[in-house]
Amino acid sequence: MKVQTAPSPTGQRGHLRLDATIASSATVVGPFEAQGPLGPLFDRVVQDDLCGEKSYERAELCLLRGAVELLLDRSEVSATDVDLLIGGDLLDQITTTNFAGRDLGVPLLGVYSACATTSESLLLGALAVTSKAASTVVCATASHHLSAERQYRFPLELAVQRAPTAQWTATGGAAFLLGRNDEGLARIVAATVGTVQDYGLKDPNNMGAAMAPAAADTILRHFRARGQASRDYDLILTGDLARAGLPLLEELLGEEGERPAHRLQDAGVLLYDPSQDVHAGGSGAACSALVLASLVLPRLRRGELRRVLLVATGSLHSPRSYQQGETIPTVAHAVELEAIV
Amino acid sequence: MSYLLAFLVGGALCLLAQLVMDVTKATAAEILVGSVMLGAIAAGFGLYEPFAKFAGAGATIPLPGFGFSLVSGLIKELPKEGWVALFSGAFKATGAGIKAALIFGVIASFATRARA
Amino acid sequence: MEPKEYRQRVKRLEPPRPIARNALWAFVVGGVICLIGQVVQSGLMAVGYNQETVKAPTSIIMVFLGALATALGIYDRIAKFGGMGANLPITGFSNAVVAPAMEFKQEGPIMGTGARIFQIAGPVIAYGLLTAFVVGLVRFVIMGGKP
C-alpha cells in the first residue's frame, strides 16, 4: 500500500523551526580543563580526575549529575518539575547518562551521536518545548578524558606516542535548562538535523578530517533552509574539528562561496591552550557544551553576539568497527541561537 | 666499550623501528610483532648470534632479541628432544622474562591504579 | 567534492609527523635503556654469572625496572617522546603487560586483570612463538636438528 506523504513543513528535510529559550546553564570540569583559557568561566572544578569516585566511569557520572544538580539548584527548579532529561555521553550503552537518570529520577531520553550529542540533545529539547509536549527540559552531556581513553584507545599507563592530529577528550559535564520563558540566556530558533556523511576516512587519530564534510553539509543545508549566509552570523561554533579539521571545513565552505573567516571557530581549539599539549585540540561530548555554556551563552545574553550557529560534529565509529576496517561515518547537527532582546 | 656499543646499537634499532613506524604509519603493535618475527628469522639463519656477541645488550634488550632468544632456545633443545623441542624449546630461554612481566603486572595491579 | 579527492586533500593538509625529532629521541631513549641493560648484565657477570646463565636474570631485572616505572606512572611519559625507544626494549614489553594489568583492575582480578593482561603483549608472544616454530621446523627438516 502506498502511503501518502506530505512535503517537509520547512521545505528542507531535517530542518526545524523552533521556539525555545535556554533559561540557564551549568558546567563542571576537571582540573586540566580549568587550567585552559576558559578556566575562570566554568562554574565548578572537581578536585581530581576521580571526582571522589572509585572509577573514571563513575567520575564521568559524577560530572554529569553534578552539572544537572548545579543547574537545578541555581535555577531554583526541583527535579520533580523537570518534564524531560535529554542527554548523552561517549561510553558504551551511554551508561553515564542512563545512570544519571536513575540517580535523578527524571523522565530520561538518552541520545547518542558522539561529540554531536550536545546539539542533538538541545535540538530535541527545543523540539519538545516548541511542540508544547514539555515545558521544562534539561539537556546534558558529559565526557571524561580517562574513561574515553579506556574505551576507545589504550590502557592509560601504556607507552604510546600520539599522532599530532589526535584529539583530547574533554573532562567535564554541562547542563542546559530549556523552557518557554521570556528571559534567559538565548533563544533557540531553528535547527538542522545532520545527514550521516562518510568520505572513506579510517584514521580515528584524525577525526577532525573525517567530520569536516559533515559540518560543511549541515551548515550549507541550514543556510539554504533559512536563506542565510555566513555573514548573517556573529559566530559559527563547530565542535570539535580541532586544528586538523577546521582548515578542511574552511576549504569545503569556500568552494561553495562561503568564507566565514573569523566568524568560524571551533570548540576543540578554544577549550585548551596549545601549551597544554592536547595535540590537535579538544573533543568529547562535553567539549562543545562547555564552550557554549561558559563562553558563548553569556556573550549572547550580554548582546555581544546576536546570532550563533552551534554545529556539533560526531564521529560515529566504534573501536570494533575500526578494527574491522570500516570507514568512519560522521554527523553534524546545527542549532541556531539568537540573543533575547 | 661494551657500554658504548650497547647504547649505539640498541639506539639504532629503536631509531630504525621509529622511522618505519612514522613513514609507513603502521601501528606500534604491528612494528613490535614485526620486530620479533624479524629477530626470529634472522636467528634462524644464524645471523643474530654473532650480532648479539658483537653488540651485547644492544642486540638482546630490544624486541628482535626476544625473537632471537625464542629461536636459539628452540634450536638448542632440538638435538636433545627432537620434534618435541619445536613446542617446548622456545619458552625455556624466554620464560623468565615473560613470567617476570606477568608476576610484576599482577602485583602492580593490586598495589596501584592507572592514572593520567 | 568527491570522497577520493577529499581524502587526497586530507593527506596533503595533515601536519607531518616530526620524523627527525622522533627518530633522535627513539635513538637516545632506546640507547640509554640498552646501556642500562648492559650495566645490569656486566654487573651480574662480575658476581659470577657466565655468558649463558646471565640472560635470564638480566631479563628479569630489566622487566622489573620497566614494571616499576610503569607502576609509578613514569613509563608512559618516557614513551611520549621516546616512542619506539621505549617500546622496543624489553622494558617496553614489561610495560605492555603491566599497563593493561593495572588498567583492568576495575573489571576484577579474573576477567579484568587476568583476561586482559596479554591484550598488547599477546600478539608479540603469539607471532614470536609461531615464527620460532616455523624457523625451528625448517631447520629440523633440513638439518635434522643439528645445532
Side-chain angles (χ1 to χ4, degrees), chain B residues 39-86:
Chain B
I41 291 167
F45 284 108
L47 301 172
Y48 216 94
E49 181 104 45
F51 177 50
K53 281 218 169 76
F54 165 72
T60 54
I61 293 292
L63 216 43
F66 182 71
F68 159 64
S69 296
L70 288 170
V71 167
S72 64
L74 189 151
I75 290 173
K76 209 177 293 163
E77 298 295 319
L78 267 182
K80 273 188 276 175
E81 296 189 18
W83 67 273
V84 176
L86 293 175

Side-chain angles (χ1 to χ4, degrees), chain A residues 124-150:
Chain A
L124 288 170
L127 188 60
V129 169
T130 307
S131 70
K132 300 198 172 75
S135 52
T136 307
V137 178
V138 172
C139 299
T141 48
S143 53
H144 194 302
H145 175 67
L146 297 172
S147 63
E149 287 290 307
R150 295 197 68 186

Side-chain angles (χ1 to χ4, degrees), chain A residues 54-57 150 154-161 163-165 198-201 203 206 208-210 212-213 247-248 251-252 255 277 279, chain C residues 1 3 6-7 9-10 12-17 22 70 73 75-76 79-83 87 95-96 99-100 102-104 106-107 119-120:
Chain A
K54 65 179 181 3
S55 71
Y56 297 119
E57 288 76 9
R150 295 197 68 186
F154 298 103
L156 304 176
E157 299 295 347
L158 190 72
V160 279
Q161 207 166 28
T165 49
D198 192 335
Y199 276 53
L201 292 165
D203 184 3
N206 192 356
L248 287 160
E251 281 199 17
L252 289 169
E255 274 161 21
D277 198 15
H279 309 279
Chain C
M1 182 182 293
Y6 181 71
R7 289 199 296 273
R9 171 175 303 186
V10 168
R12 206 183 64 229
L13 284 183
E14 210 171 78
R17 296 191 187 198
N22 281 354
T70 304
Y75 209 81
D76 58 326
K80 220 170 134 40
F81 57 89
N87 291 138
N95 167 263
M102 287 164 66
E103 176 82 11
F104 294 104
Q106 284 159 2
E107 281 73 23
Q119 188 187 358
I120 320 287

Side-chain angles (χ1 to χ4, degrees), chain A:
Chain A
M1 185 187 76
K2 181 166 167 49
V3 176
Q4 288 297 316
T5 55
S8 303
T10 57
Q12 169 80 261
R13 286 190 309 151
H15 181 71
L16 313 168
R17 300 231 172 86
L18 300 170
D19 180 16
T21 308
I22 301 181
S24 64
S25 69
T27 50
V28 180
V29 296
F32 187 64
E33 286 63 29
Q35 290 162 19
L38 306 183
L41 304 177
F42 296 122
D43 298 321
R44 220 183 87 205
V45 183
V46 294
Q47 284 199 330
D48 60 34
D49 285 327
L50 272 170
C51 202
E53 297 283 352
K54 65 179 181 3
S55 71
Y56 297 119
E57 288 76 9
R58 284 197 67 88
E60 187 173 309
L61 171 59
C62 158
L63 294 167
L64 184 69
R65 205 179 42 212
V68 174
E69 283 168 351
L70 182 62
L71 176 82
L72 295 179
D73 201 38
R74 64 158 46 156
S75 317
E76 294 175 47
V77 169
S78 106
T80 51
D81 294 329
V82 177
D83 295 319
L84 272 181
L85 170 62
I86 304 176
D89 58 88
L90 298 179
L91 299 188
D92 286 336
Q93 286 79 38
I94 49 171
T95 46
T96 305
T97 306
N98 289 327
F99 286 21
R102 172 196 63 192
D103 297 348
L104 293 160
V106 175
L108 169 71
L109 281 176
V111 295
Y112 180 84
S113 49
C115 309
T117 304
T118 299
S119 47
E120 183 181 5
S121 54
L122 284 173
L123 179 160
L124 288 170
L127 188 60
V129 169
T130 307
S131 70
K132 300 198 172 75
S135 52
T136 307
V137 178
V138 172
C139 299
T141 48
S143 53
H144 194 302
H145 175 67
L146 297 172
S147 63
E149 287 290 307
R150 295 197 68 186
Q151 169 158 323
Y152 286 96
R153 298 181 189 102
F154 298 103
L156 304 176
E157 299 295 347
L158 190 72
V160 279
Q161 207 166 28
R162 293 166 68 96
T165 49
Q167 289 174 241
W168 185 276
T169 308
T171 300
F176 305 89
L177 188 71
L178 269 57
R180 293 182 64 86
N181 320 43
D182 291 327
E183 280 177 44
L185 304 171
R187 225 192 302 275
I188 297 178
V189 296
T192 297
V193 179
T195 51
V196 177
Q197 304 286 320
D198 192 335
Y199 276 53
L201 292 165
K202 289 185 173 180
D203 184 3
N205 284 317
N206 192 356
M207 292 188 295
M211 295 189 293
D217 180 72
T218 300
I219 292 171
L220 293 168
R221 281 175 55 226
H222 189 84
F223 285 175
R224 268 200 297 279
R226 299 278 285 167
Q228 294 167 330
S230 47
R231 63 176 171 279
D232 294 313
Y233 286 88
D234 300 315
L235 174 67
I236 299 169
L237 181 72
T238 55
D240 320 293
L241 303 176
R243 270 175 278 278
L246 197 58
L248 287 160
L249 173 61
E250 280 173 344
E251 281 199 17
L252 289 169
L253 291 176
E255 274 161 21
E256 303 294 324
E258 290 293 341
R259 288 185 175 71
H262 66 279
R263 293 163 202 268
L264 178 64
Q265 302 217 26
D266 185 78
V269 177
L270 295 168
L271 187 63
Y272 298 104
D273 191 83
S275 70
Q276 288 180 289
D277 198 15
V278 291
H279 309 279
S283 71
C287 185
S288 58
L290 290 174
V291 174
L292 179 69
S294 66
L295 186 69
V296 178
L297 288 178
R299 298 188 63 199
L300 275 162
R301 182 194 167 89
R302 293 196 295 267
E304 293 165 24
L305 297 171
R306 308 281 309 172
R307 190 178 298 277
V308 172
L309 192 63
L310 170 73
V311 190
T313 59
S315 277
L316 305 176
H317 67 291
S318 75
R320 186 164 298 169
S321 75
Y322 159 68
Q323 281 173 348
Q324 292 178 354
E326 299 285 342
T327 54
I328 302 178
T330 60
V331 75
H333 302 300
V335 175
E336 186 179 333
L337 303 161
E338 216 176 64
I340 303 173
V341 180

